[in-house]
Every structure is written in structure tokens, then in C-alpha cells.
Amino acid sequence: MNRTFWNLLLVSPTILGLSSVVSAAAIAAEAPATAEANQLATAQSSESKIAEIVGEIVAEPVAAAPAAPEKLALNSSVEAAQTPVVNEADAEKLASIEPETSEAALQTTPQTTGSDIELAAPSAPTSAAAATEPLAAAGTAESSPQASDLAVQISPTDTAGKIEVPAVASTPATTPATTPATKVEIAQTVPAGMGGPIVPVAPQALPAQPSGTMSQVTSVTQLSDVRPTDWAFQALQSLVERYSCIVGYPDGTYRGNRALTRYEFAAGVNACLDQITQLIGSTGNLVTKDDLAILQRLQEEFAAELATLRGRVDGLEARTAELEANQFSTTTKLAGEAIFAVSDTFVGDGIRLEDDRTVTNFGYRVRLNLLTSFTGRDLLRTRLQAVNVANYGASTATGTNMARLAFDGEEGSQFTLDELYYRFPVGPATVFVGPKGLDLDEIADTVTPFNSTGTGAISRFGVRNPAVFRGPQGAGASLTFNLGPLRATGGYLASDGDAPNPANGRGVADGSFSALGQIGFFSKPFDLAFTYTHKYNRAGDVGIMGGTGSSLANRPFGQATTQADNYGVQVNFKPSPRFQLGGWYGYTKAEQLRGGGNDATIQNGAITLALADFGRQGNLLGFVFGVPPKVTESDVARNRNTSYHLEGFYRFQVNDFVSVTPGVYVILNPEHNNRNDDIWVGLLRTTFSF
């Protein structure tokens, strides 16, 4: 961008000269009656000519970039193209060129523009970093809001210690230059001819200087960092000594290697045009043949580049228009997941054909998620689901919930509304509210790497702690406070089957519900959470452990109204990103509310091991060993033996969108009864994410 700015500044004297010629011709032809009319006509002619030249040579195109999608449907953003920087090798090549000291060479040395396509910013830069770029301007030292778009005000009382902001002079000099500047023969670091673009030396980072009032420069020698050997010296000398169109920093530097924004460029050109307009009405030799020659050669030199840029801009505009016309929504993005699952079970001491009591089946689950954001920080989630995967807890299969898959379900292959909730921030807190599908594991952290039915553990028990993260759920609200490494969550969820029902014993308060509270500590090497969940199951809708563990653990008192206080501790140790060792423990105290005052104690626990990037990046090798929910004490009945759950799976990440997970798990002593044969479950899961 530095080269672009210097070349545009060099064009300014040429434009001035051309404007003077046109103005003089207009004055001689029309000969207005008064001096005031003469000055007005000349200014109008000059402005028209200047606009035509500037529009052809220095207009920069605007490139629109397509919005990049974000995981949570954030509002689109536009990235600006980066300006290339000349490396040291190019600088050495330029230094090796023999200087041309003839007068003709000095007068016809081209100044090139080297800017790439830039994005048009919708508003003036507001950050301090964007406002500190230098700007060459004319007139007074103070900047004017009308002359530039820089939203920075500098006063003498608060400038010390702040980042310095260059000013744009909007008031033209009171005394116009009436005589051309004396030509000086100096050594240049550019080729003598106009055959190729001139590349500036590599920009050097300059330290920030204390801010202060900008000073008007009347001689190029006042700029301590501008030397006669600089490739843009002639342009600066002309702008300073002929047109008074440069303002320097208070420390006497110009900082020509710093980047230039489009706003600064517009402000600088506007200030120079104001100065030119005033000089047009004055007398004197303002135009030389050399100026006209430079202008013509610049037009010829960059004709191909400008045509290429125009073509690229036209192409980008066409693509942007097509995307805008065919996009799904400006606020909503579609994300989906499809699972193909081949599974089978075997019962007995080993995997033999005579032990196969079920047939191999091929099921699926499809989820379509509509992720909508209205502010960029909120999320409205709408999920449609169709699922048909074997439920091995049914009496026609293994007959125990311990063998169930993580993603089973039979909904008749019909798409149904599976989830609908809204999440939004309130200060340091996050609020969830929804009438359908809002689950306990969504409002609170499960502290396990396997909590995904599509890419995590393959069994229902191995996904998360069932004591505190399964139960009546679906409709309600929650509030989570983020206090650095600490996180506190409170929520209330009613069964989404009871919440919309107005009958007595149903609804949000009278039907089945879960009330959760959690305090967690989350750090880089260690995650720990303590969770409490109070569950109420109305008569006929009892399932304390959410379809995991033994049948007795889910209904210790049959279908009688039951309430339970559930306590869980979850931990996950992460010494490295590729190794995670964790687990959970759940303790439940259940009470029969009607038909008797019986109590029961239910416990469960598991140890998990996750090896990320095992074999290749994105893969996951996982193991789960645990004891499914078991009734250890009860006034009615308890489980006398203990079942063990052993699970292993390997997720192979084919690419960013497809993963294949073979896995197997075995239930020893199903239903906590050592007289039952072991149950083996094999699964091949393929997950497509889009």
C-alpha cells in the first residue's frame, strides 16, 4: 500500500499541471466579464478533469469476500486482503542498480502502485491500531472531521503517553506557490526508464512516538527519515515545496513505510484537491511538459494491471450476488448428521453362532439442525430427527437395558421435532430456555470426552453418568454463571411429554421433572464437577436411571410415584491433548411417595480412557469400564450380584465429514445376576457430518 500512496502522490503534481492547462484554455476561450466568474469557471473545469483522471488511475476496487460459516451460526464477517511486502532480496536488487543522475531521467522516473484488492470498510476505523497509520495531507496541522474519516480527536492536554495519530490537513495553505520548484539532480534507486514497476525497499517497523500536534512541512529536508536516495523522494519534494500538501509528525518524521487505509487515502486526496482548487485561480507556471509525460506514461504502464483488477472485482461481485440470491438464510445455517449402523448381539461365554439370539440389523439415524443467531452470541436450535435403530433392551432382543446402544430408537422412520430451545448470554451468565428436547447434559457439563452419541461411546451407559444426567427432561430453563475456571449451573426441566399437557397431575410443575445444580472447576489439565439432581417421576412414568442399568434400578418400586436425590462427581485428567483419564460415580437415594414409604439406594460408576489422534490426527481410541446402576440397598428388593460393563471402540476419522467407528462391549452378569449369560454387542457405526 505504501507504493500505491507514493505513486498517487506523484500523480498529484501532474494532475495539477493538466488542470492548469485546461483552465487556461477555458479562460482564454470564454473570457468571462468579471474576475469572479472567471475563477468559478476555471475551478469547475479543473474539478471535472481531475475527477476523470483520478477515477481512471487511482480508483481502488472493492472486493467482497463471502462470509465464512461458523459453528454456531454467527453473523458473517469480511476479511481484508493483505498488502504484499517486498522482501530483503528485492531491496538488495534495487540497491545494486546503477543510479541515473541525468535531468531527463530524474524527471521521467515512474512511481508505481503496488496495492492488492482491498475490502471497503463500512465505517471509519475505531480501533487505536487502525487509527495510527500515517497520512500525508495538506494545510494546517490539526485534522478536521470533514477532511478525513478518522474518528480520533487530539487535544494538547491528553496527548502525552498515547499512540500518535497523524492529522489530515483540510485547510489549504494561505499562500499558494507561484513559482516552480528548483530541480535538483540526485541519485535514485530506481531504473532510468519506465519499462517496469518500481519496487520500494522493504518497510521497517518504526517505534511509536508520543502524540502531539502535527507540524506543517515547508521543505522536504525537515523530514528526518526522508533521504534523497529514497525512491519516492521526488514525489515528496514536489508535494511539499510546490503544493504544501504534506504534514509531518511532531518528531520530524514522515514514516513513509507504514500502511495506509482507504480512509486516510481519501482524506489526503481531498486535502490536496482543495489546495489544487485554490492554486488553479492563481498565476504562475503550474504545469510542465514533464508532468504531462509522467501522467501519460503512468496510464500506459498500469493499463493492464487496472484492467485485471477490474475483471477480478467484477467476478467477485458476480459471485457475491449469486450467493446472496441463493443463500438459505441470512440468520440460519443448516447442519446435519447421518448415522449408518450395523450391529448384532451374542449371548453366552463366547461369540459362537449357537449363541446368536438376534439377527444382524442395519439401522440409521438422521438429524437436521437449524442453527439461528440473531445477535451473533445467541442460538436458536431447531432439530428434526428420523431414527430406526434396534433397541436391545426390548424383550424381543436381549431384554436388558444394559445392552442398549447410545443412539437407539424406533420412530417409524418419520421426521419429528426432536429439539427446540434458545440460548443467549446475560452478562457473564448463559441462559437456556426451551419447550422441547432440552436435556440435562446440554445445560450442564458432563466432564467426559465420550458424551456424543454420534462420535463418542457406542453404548448408552458409556456416554455419561446416568444418575445425574438422565431422567425426566425436555422443557424448562437453566442459568449458568461463568466465573473463570469455576462454573455454576442451576436448571429445571419438566418432561416434554407432560409440560404441554394441561390435565391434572401433568404440566410443568405437577408432571415428572428434574431439578439440577452443578459446581464445576475446569482447567487445562484437570476438570472436576459436583452435580446434584432431584428427580420426580409421576405414577406410570418412572425411569430413574433413564433406561440404563438393571430394571430394578430404573423402577425400585415399580410404577409407583417416586422421587430421588441423585449425587454425582465427574472427573477428567488431561495431562496432554492426546491422553485423557477420567470417570464418574453416582449415588441415588430413592423414595416411594405413594403406596408406601419405602427407600432404596442405587449406585453406579465408571472409568474412562481416551487416546486422541491415535494412529492419525482426528482418530479416537476409547475404553469404558464400569458398573451399571445397581440397587445396593432397598426396603423392597435389591440386586445381589454385580454386573460389569467393558467397552472398547476406535473412531477412524476418514476426513472432516466422515468417521467410521467399529466397537464392541460386553456385559458380564447382566441384570446384576451371575446366573445370566454374558451379552456381547458388536457395532460398526459410520457417521456423516455436514
Side-chain angles (χ1 to χ4, degrees):
M1 181 58 73
N2 291 326
R3 293 167 53 194
T4 302
F5 181 62
W6 288 120
N7 292 315
L8 294 175
L9 292 181
L10 181 60
V11 174
S12 299
T14 307
I15 297 175
L16 177 61
L18 181 60
S19 302
S20 178
V21 172
V22 176
S23 301
I27 293 173
E30 298 179 4
T34 63
E36 180 179 359
N38 182 18
Q39 184 175 359
L40 178 59
T42 305
Q44 293 176 347
S45 175
S46 172
E47 291 176 356
S48 174
K49 212 57 173 172
I50 290 170
E52 178 182 356
I53 296 172
V54 173
E56 180 178 356
I57 298 177
V58 303
E60 292 188 14
V62 177
E70 297 184 2
K71 184 177 180 181
L72 295 180
L74 303 183
N75 288 340
S76 302
S77 62
V78 181
E79 298 179 356
Q82 299 294 326
T83 303
V85 179
V86 178
N87 54 34
E88 294 181 359
D90 294 333
E92 292 177 359
K93 291 180 181 180
L94 293 177
S96 63
I97 299 176
E98 290 296 329
E100 181 67 31
T101 57
S102 63
E103 179 177 353
L106 293 177
Q107 295 174 355
T108 60
T109 300
Q111 311 298 325
T112 63
T113 59
S115 64
D116 288 340
I117 297 177
E118 294 186 351
L119 298 175
S123 61
T126 57
S127 65
T132 57
E133 299 175 352
L135 174 64
T140 62
E142 295 289 334
S143 61
S144 171
Q146 290 78 14
S148 78
D149 291 323
L150 297 177
V152 178
Q153 299 294 333
I154 299 179
S155 64
T157 60
D158 61 358
T159 55
K162 296 184 179 179
I163 297 176
E164 186 168 357
V165 180
V168 179
S170 60
T171 305
T174 57
T175 304
T178 57
T179 59
T182 303
K183 297 179 181 178
V184 180
E185 294 187 359
I186 55 177
Q188 299 290 313
T189 59
V190 297
M194 295 295 297
I198 301 174
V199 182
V201 296
Q204 302 174 353
L206 295 177
Q209 301 294 338
S211 60
T213 304
M214 303 296 102
S215 58
Q216 178 66 46
V217 179
T218 58
S219 174
V220 73
T221 58
Q222 295 178 247
L223 302 173
S224 60
D225 58 343
V226 177
R227 296 177 296 275
T229 55
D230 290 339
W231 68 277
F233 180 82
Q234 277 189 323
L236 278 175
Q237 185 182 44
S238 178
L239 290 172
V240 170
E241 299 179 1
R242 295 181 63 182
Y243 307 113
S244 300
C245 204
I246 291 295
V247 173
Y249 282 89
D251 60 354
T253 61
Y254 182 67
R255 307 180 192 178
N257 285 328
R258 299 188 64 179
L260 173 72
T261 67
R262 293 174 61 86
Y263 289 101
E264 291 173 328
F265 169 76
V269 170
N270 181 70
C272 288
L273 290 179
D274 290 342
Q275 179 74 349
I276 290 173
T277 302
Q278 181 176 357
L279 293 177
I280 286 175
S282 64
T283 59
N285 185 15
L286 300 178
V287 180
T288 65
K289 294 181 179 180
D290 295 335
D291 293 337
L292 297 177
I294 290 175
L295 176 61
Q296 182 178 0
R297 293 188 181 186
L298 284 175
Q299 290 176 328
E300 296 172 355
E301 181 74 18
F302 298 107
E305 286 80 357
L306 291 175
T308 301
L309 291 178
R310 281 194 293 268
R312 292 174 61 183
V313 171
D314 292 342
L316 290 173
E317 288 180 346
R319 292 178 58 187
T320 302
E322 182 179 0
L323 290 174
E324 291 177 349
N326 297 282
Q327 63 181 343
F328 175 75
S329 172
T330 58
T331 58
T332 303
K333 294 186 181 299
L334 174 65
E337 180 187 76
I339 296 176
F340 294 174
V342 178
S343 62
D344 202 351
T345 65
F346 302 87
V347 179
D349 296 333
I351 302 178
R352 299 187 300 270
L353 292 178
E354 59 267 25
D355 298 327
D356 188 2
R357 297 184 182 179
T358 60
V359 297
T360 302
N361 56 89
F362 190 14
Y364 66 87
R365 188 187 72 182
V366 179
R367 287 177 169 178
L368 300 178
N369 299 294
L370 300 176
L371 308 175
T372 305
S373 179
F374 305 102
T375 65
R377 300 179 60 195
D378 60 339
L379 174 66
L380 174 64
R381 183 183 181 96
T382 305
R383 184 168 75 190
L384 304 177
Q385 175 177 281
V387 57
N388 194 353
V389 178
N391 183 350
Y392 290 131
S395 58
T396 55
T398 65
T400 174
N401 289 326
M402 294 183 181
R404 291 184 62 179
L405 297 172
F407 52 93
D408 62 6
E410 298 175 358
E411 298 180 357
S413 300
Q414 300 293 324
F415 269 102
T416 60
L417 180 63
D418 182 61
E419 253 185 17
L420 179 63
Y421 66 80
Y422 182 56
R423 185 193 70 201
F424 59 94
V426 178
T430 301
V431 177
F432 283 82
V433 59
K436 174 73 174 178
L438 186 58
D439 296 336
L440 293 167
D441 63 295
E442 287 180 305
I443 66 175
D445 201 310
T446 59
V447 195
T448 174
F450 298 154
N451 187 39
S452 172
T453 57
T455 58
I458 60 177
S459 69
R460 186 175 180 87
F461 170 71
V463 174
R464 54 184 173 267
N465 187 346
V468 292
F469 296 116
R470 292 194 185 275
Q473 56 189 1
S478 71
L479 181 66
T480 299
F481 289 93
N482 298 301
L483 308 172
L486 295 177
R487 193 178 306 162
T489 300
Y492 177 91
L493 300 179
S495 170
D496 55 11
D498 288 344
N501 193 335
N504 290 331
R506 302 292 190 271
V508 176
D510 296 336
S512 300
F513 69 86
S514 298
L516 177 144
Q518 183 185 76
I519 297 178
F521 174 81
F522 302 92
S523 63
K524 185 175 181 180
F526 190 77
D527 294 339
L528 176 66
F530 298 94
T531 310
Y532 167 77
T533 304
H534 178 79
K535 303 176 186 178
Y536 171 83
N537 295 86
R538 61 173 175 81
D541 185 33
V542 180
I544 299 177
M545 294 293 115
T548 64
S550 65
S551 299
L552 187 60
N554 275 275
R555 301 182 180 91
F557 316 113
Q559 288 289 356
T561 304
T562 304
Q563 72 174 9
D565 294 314
N566 302 266
Y567 306 88
V569 56
Q570 297 78 228
V571 63
N572 192 32
F573 179 57
K574 305 172 291 183
S576 74
R578 297 190 176 186
F579 181 87
Q580 299 185 41
L581 179 63
W584 68 75
Y585 170 72
Y587 179 87
T588 300
K589 195 69 173 180
E591 179 184 358
Q592 181 180 354
L593 296 181
R594 296 180 183 176
N598 300 313
D599 293 336
T601 300
I602 306 170
Q603 300 182 66
N604 85 95
I607 298 175
T608 62
L609 174 63
L611 302 177
D613 298 334
F614 189 84
R616 62 174 290 181
Q617 186 175 3
N619 293 356
L620 176 65
L621 178 63
F623 298 96
V624 180
F625 173 75
V627 177
K630 171 187 176 181
V631 179
T632 57
E633 294 182 8
S634 176
D635 296 335
V636 179
R638 65 185 180 92
N639 299 126
R640 297 186 179 275
N641 304 121
T642 302
S643 298
Y644 298 99
H645 178 103
L646 288 82
E647 176 179 345
F649 64 92
Y650 181 65
R651 186 188 71 206
F652 177 73
Q653 197 70 35
V654 179
N655 53 44
D656 293 339
F657 310 103
V658 181
S659 65
V660 178
T661 307
V664 61
Y665 56 94
V666 58
I667 310 300
L668 306 178
N669 306 324
E671 289 292 310
H672 300 291
N673 188 341
N674 56 12
R675 291 178 296 180
N676 292 331
D677 293 331
D678 301 338
I679 300 176
W680 296 76
V681 181
L683 171 71
L684 179 62
R685 177 184 65 194
T686 302
T687 304
F688 303 88
S689 302
F690 54 92

